[in-house]
Amino acid sequence: MRQSIGEQGVAVLSKNHVRAAIAAVLMLSMPAGTAEAKADHTPTVGEIAPDFEITLMDGSKVTLAQLRGQVVVLNFWATWCIPCRKELPTLDSYYALQRNRGLKVFAITTEDSAPPYMLKALFKAMAIPAARKIKGPYGPLTGVPTNFVIDRAGKVRYAKAGAFDLDDLNAVLVPLLAEKAPA
């Protein structure tokens, strides 16, 4: 994209500059519904959870459809996040105690965290399945940790940034674990 200076000292825009300006104006003038259509696929509390595919550290894959009938927690965390480092052992202990009641928790390390090979020892000591990545419209909302909770029927029941403590886990998960799985 070139611009030159005309005889009067005014910048003269190239065709590419004009095209870019027109495209920007058109995007800004689109109806609000266009942007909302994309947002419809993000996890929203009270609505059916969008599908996802998690790739675990061992390379195996898990989809939401495979987890139907279980209560699912997707926990996004980072190694540099102090609240995450406090929350992860609590989540791990909670999962170890509740997994036989239909709880599935996945710890999903964010991209700006340590590389997976550096986390092998940590994940080996944990009961929570650790994930390399997730495909789908999930991810940290406004920061880490971020947690999504999906009930047995596949509905999003919780979606917030912020660390769980034991009281939060009990308040959110105990009622969901008490629900019967759909037929």
Side-chain angles (χ1 to χ4, degrees):
M1 290 190 195
R2 290 180 145 163
Q3 86 178 16
S4 59
I5 304 297
E7 291 177 4
Q8 284 97 16
V10 177
V12 178
L13 300 176
S14 70
K15 287 181 184 177
N16 288 339
H17 281 102
V18 173
R19 285 185 192 133
I22 291 170
V25 168
L26 287 174
M27 286 177 66
L28 290 173
S29 64
M30 285 183 175
T34 306
E36 289 172 10
K38 186 175 182 183
D40 287 344
H41 298 291
T42 59
T44 304
V45 174
E47 294 184 7
I48 295 296
D51 201 15
F52 60 75
E53 180 184 80
I54 296 173
T55 302
L56 300 176
M57 286 297 188
D58 66 5
S60 63
K61 298 181 187 298
V62 179
T63 65
L64 178 60
Q66 293 170 319
L67 299 169
R68 186 159 176 85
Q70 298 181 61
V71 175
V72 179
V73 177
L74 302 177
N75 172 257
F76 291 85
W77 71 287
T79 53
W80 50 263
C81 166
I82 293 170
C84 297
R85 286 189 245 156
K86 184 178 177 185
E87 176 189 51
L88 201 55
T90 304
L91 264 175
D92 190 57
S93 296
Y94 200 86
Y95 172 67
L97 293 171
Q98 298 289 359
R99 65 180 161 196
N100 63 347
R101 294 187 61 211
L103 179 64
K104 282 299 234 180
V105 178
F106 296 93
I108 304 160
T109 311
T110 59
E111 291 178 10
D112 58 347
S113 216
Y117 75 89
M118 294 178 73
L119 301 173
K120 281 186 180 179
L122 169 68
F123 293 136
K124 197 172 189 178
M126 289 177 25
I128 294 174
R132 284 187 202 180
K133 65 180 178 178
I134 185 169
K135 286 184 187 175
Y138 295 84
L141 296 171
T142 56
V144 288
T146 289
N147 291 287
F148 294 93
V149 177
I150 302 166
D151 70 13
R152 295 180 191 276
K155 189 181 287 187
V156 178
R157 298 291 283 271
Y158 182 94
K160 287 186 183 175
F164 275 134
D165 62 18
L166 185 57
D167 290 337
D168 296 328
L169 287 169
N170 283 327
V172 173
L173 297 177
V174 167
L176 299 179
L177 291 170
E179 292 177 357
K180 297 220 184 269

